[in-house]
Amino acid sequence: MHTAIKYLFIVSLLFSTAACTTGPANGSVSAAEGDQVLLADSDGRLLLLNIANGHKRVLSQPGIYRPADSIGPVHLWAPIRLSPDGQWLAVPQLDSQGTWLINLDGATQIKLCSGAVNLIWSPDNRQIAFYDPNSASPETLYLQDMIGEEGARPLARLNGKILALAWSPINPQIAAAYSLDPTQAQIALRPWEGLMEIALINVSSGEIEKLAQAPAASTEATAWDLAWSPDGREVWHLKERISLPVDTSPPRPLAAEPLSQWLTVETGEADPVLSPDGSRVAWVVVNDAQSGASLWLADIQHPETRTVIVEGLGPVAQLSWTQSGQAIVAAGVQDALAPVWRITPATGEATRLVDNVYFVGSLWDLQYRSTNIAVGVSLRPLPVPDIATSWLTWTADGLGFSFEYPPGWKIWDSSQMITLSSVVFERLGGWASLSPEDLLITFSKIYVSSQDEWLNENVRSIGGRLQDMVIAGRVGLCWRQNTQAIREDCFVPLEGNAILVIHKYPADSLYDEVFRRIITSLQF
């Protein structure tokens, strides 16, 4: 079946899971100007809302995007993707009945596939790659040219169900993460961990180059877990915090200065969000059911300037800055109908823009996330410590211990975790891979029913390299992978069936002697 479509150099054909239709020519439609957010109404129609004037434009027919119809968290493993030129939405239907291509003027809507596929755009808009997680072959990666009349073709068949894709910003390569049976593990796995492999697929030949295996702590993998570094030289798995150089270098740990530790407050359900220029952070504090939520704002360079800019909001689970940085959009949970608010940070004015909608996201944020290119950050090294001199002492009252640390090093202390670092992240919220010249240590506590049983099941019996270490009169265990080790873990039994968990990044660091002095200085 062939259908001519105005404004597009495309034809529609082969509506099947493995054969998507062709798509838009690059630069064919201009998006509307201004700060806009993508919503869906209760009938499943996608809407584009201009938050400056409240104008809504209907983009699709009913039933296209209705989270109430979803089977599981479809928006996480098959999300809406905005094309690199900002003109086209690729929309997996949440009841898994199709995937649609919709332009932002609302004039064109094409059914690409009969299933809800996870797809990514090429940086030049000319191709998409996709897989169908609900099909009989979720391990098959397809490639579709978006100009011309040819249908999708299989590009590569991987060794397991595909979990996430990311297209290289500089080379004709696609990074793929896919699940493996744990019996194929070349690394040690804990009882709760699954196994995944990360590989590169050549877009021209379909050739597969395996990079590394890694634990998969959760079966609820999302499409945003896999990303490229901004320079295209490393593949990053954000959830598992692993950096894989595309050359022959070994894997590295991936780190970021967390917003939650910077805030050191209970932020409620909505994640803290940075302004587009990285200078301000906004977060929600839930007071109580009667008074609702309050929105807080702080300057990154002056955290003591935290102020409440609006109070009495209803349930807020999502925050998003506008591209201009002049407003913040607040909304409810992604799978429930709720109002959407515009908050002006400069004045504290809160305007209720619309009721009973699903909030998908701001267009500028959606466009950036759709590239699967992570925010990178530079690292500034702190002074090299002198082992022979006196150090400072940090007392963690919330966790019940103290330790010595080198003067000048950075500490983040929250109620749940302490992080000690030999480097400063030049931007909050950005990612960087750690080299052997760096050291980052985290301290946290867990509580178990039996320390011996937990340590036997999760440390002693899983393989890897084990070493006993006496810390403040207690016999602890330090563990690491035999191969591809990106961190070292130490476990110290405490009173009341508590275990102190220490993570050291990277596993092999030029600061190994410094690390030993830090952990042997622990006092409880």
Side-chain angles (χ1 to χ4, degrees):
M1 178 173 108
H2 294 70
T3 305
I5 301 175
K6 193 177 181 180
Y7 306 124
L8 303 180
F9 298 99
I10 65 172
V11 291
S12 156
L13 38 107
L14 299 178
F15 294 162
S16 67
T17 298
C20 290
T21 70
T22 52
N26 191 19
S28 56
V29 179
S30 296
E33 297 180 355
D35 286 323
Q36 300 174 97
V37 294
L38 188 64
L39 311 170
D41 65 16
S42 59
D43 293 325
R45 290 176 296 193
L46 283 170
L47 313 170
L48 200 59
L49 174 69
N50 187 311
I51 70 159
N53 55 27
H55 175 71
K56 288 185 293 184
R57 180 188 307 137
V58 177
L59 299 183
S60 77
Q61 66 188 33
I64 296 297
Y65 192 85
R66 187 164 48 200
D69 296 336
S70 65
I71 305 170
V74 183
H75 64 279
L76 295 180
W77 51 256
I80 292 177
R81 300 270 192 173
L82 186 58
S83 61
D85 62 4
Q87 299 174 11
W88 293 88
L89 291 166
V91 184
Q93 199 168 325
L94 294 183
D95 58 4
S96 299
Q97 296 302 305
T99 298
W100 298 80
L101 190 70
I102 299 169
N103 67 359
L104 292 188
D105 66 0
T108 306
Q109 177 177 306
I110 311 161
K111 189 172 185 180
L112 287 171
C113 304
S114 60
V117 304
N118 187 345
L119 66 83
I120 54 173
W121 295 85
S122 64
D124 62 4
N125 262 33
R126 299 177 67 88
Q127 293 177 305
I128 60 171
F130 69 93
Y131 66 96
D132 186 344
N134 289 321
S135 73
S137 55
E139 70 284 350
T140 302
L141 178 64
Y142 296 93
L143 190 68
Q144 171 72 62
D145 293 323
M146 301 304 285
I147 299 177
E149 300 187 9
E150 293 185 7
R153 63 186 186 276
L155 176 63
R157 186 181 178 91
L158 299 166
N159 290 332
K161 180 179 179 179
I162 302 174
L163 304 173
L165 300 171
W167 205 303
S168 168
I170 62 171
N171 293 315
Q173 293 176 313
I174 296 171
Y178 49 93
S179 61
L180 290 179
D181 190 288
T183 59
Q184 302 179 55
Q186 299 170 1
I187 58 175
L189 296 175
R190 294 189 169 91
W192 69 82
E193 291 177 327
L195 178 67
M196 69 177 171
E197 193 162 61
I198 299 173
L200 296 178
I201 297 98
N202 186 293
V203 174
S204 300
S205 65
E207 180 181 354
I208 300 171
E209 178 187 354
K210 298 177 182 178
L211 294 180
Q213 291 185 351
S218 172
T219 58
E220 295 296 340
T222 81
W224 310 119
D225 291 344
L226 197 65
W228 285 86
S229 62
D231 62 8
R233 295 179 180 178
E234 298 175 349
V235 178
W236 292 348
H237 197 282
L238 304 182
K239 180 178 288 185
E240 299 303 328
R241 301 209 166 197
I242 181 171
S243 169
L244 302 173
V246 297
D247 58 18
T248 57
S249 303
R252 291 180 171 186
L254 188 64
E257 181 179 349
L259 282 171
S260 57
Q261 288 204 190
W262 183 86
L263 294 170
T264 65
V265 296
E266 183 61 44
T267 58
E269 194 170 354
D271 292 330
V273 289
L274 279 171
S275 60
D277 63 2
S279 67
R280 294 169 293 170
V281 61
W283 69 97
V284 169
V285 173
V286 179
N287 303 313
D288 53 57
Q290 185 173 3
S291 58
S294 55
L295 183 64
W296 288 65
L297 187 69
D299 187 294
I300 293 297
Q301 298 301 321
H302 304 283
E304 70 280 0
T305 62
R306 306 169 186 219
T307 56
V308 180
I309 58 174
V310 64
E311 294 183 285
L313 294 174
V316 174
Q318 299 180 82
L319 292 177
S320 180
W321 285 84
T322 60
Q323 187 172 8
S324 65
Q326 296 178 2
I328 299 169
V329 179
V333 296
Q334 192 151 17
D335 58 355
L337 293 166
V340 172
W341 297 79
R342 180 189 68 230
I343 294 115
T344 305
T347 63
E349 179 185 4
T351 304
R352 192 164 178 153
L353 297 173
V354 63
D355 289 314
N356 296 321
V357 293
Y358 301 107
F359 180 77
V360 180
S362 64
L363 279 191
W364 78 273
D365 183 55
L366 186 61
Q367 184 177 16
Y368 182 80
R369 284 192 295 133
S370 295
T371 66
N372 279 81
I373 299 173
V375 177
V377 65
S378 299
L379 297 177
R380 175 167 53 87
L382 294 172
V384 176
D386 185 345
I387 293 290
T389 62
S390 297
W391 286 4
L392 303 176
T393 298
W394 187 269
T395 300
D397 293 325
L399 294 174
F401 61 84
S402 64
F403 59 88
E404 295 179 358
Y405 70 100
W409 279 26
K410 179 72 174 178
I411 289 184
W412 299 279
D413 189 347
S414 71
S415 59
Q416 304 296 324
M417 179 180 292
I418 295 174
T419 302
L420 173 66
S421 175
S422 73
V423 295
V424 169
F425 295 85
E426 295 286 14
R427 172 188 164 93
L428 194 64
W431 296 89
S433 57
L434 300 179
S435 74
E437 289 77 29
D438 307 319
L439 179 63
L440 189 145
I441 308 169
T442 65
F443 303 85
S444 60
K445 269 186 183 180
I446 61 173
Y447 293 88
V448 298
S449 58
S450 168
Q451 293 172 336
D452 284 340
E453 288 182 9
W454 190 93
L455 290 170
N456 285 334
E457 184 178 3
N458 296 282
V459 184
R460 297 188 182 100
S461 66
I462 65 172
R465 191 184 309 173
L466 273 176
Q467 179 184 0
D468 289 341
M469 177 167 289
V470 178
I471 300 175
R474 296 169 169 83
V475 178
L477 282 174
C478 289
W479 174 91
R480 56 184 291 175
Q481 295 278 0
N482 280 326
T483 60
Q484 299 179 359
I486 65 168
R487 78 173 192 233
E488 183 176 356
D489 301 335
C490 295
F491 306 91
V492 185
L494 304 175
E495 288 81 9
N497 281 336
I499 297 177
L500 177 65
V501 180
I502 305 168
H503 295 314
K504 170 205 168 200
Y505 305 88
D508 295 308
S509 170
L510 298 180
Y511 284 126
D512 280 353
E513 189 176 356
V514 173
F515 173 70
R516 300 302 170 193
R517 174 169 172 179
I518 291 169
I519 63 172
T520 55
S521 73
L522 280 161
Q523 297 294 323
F524 302 96

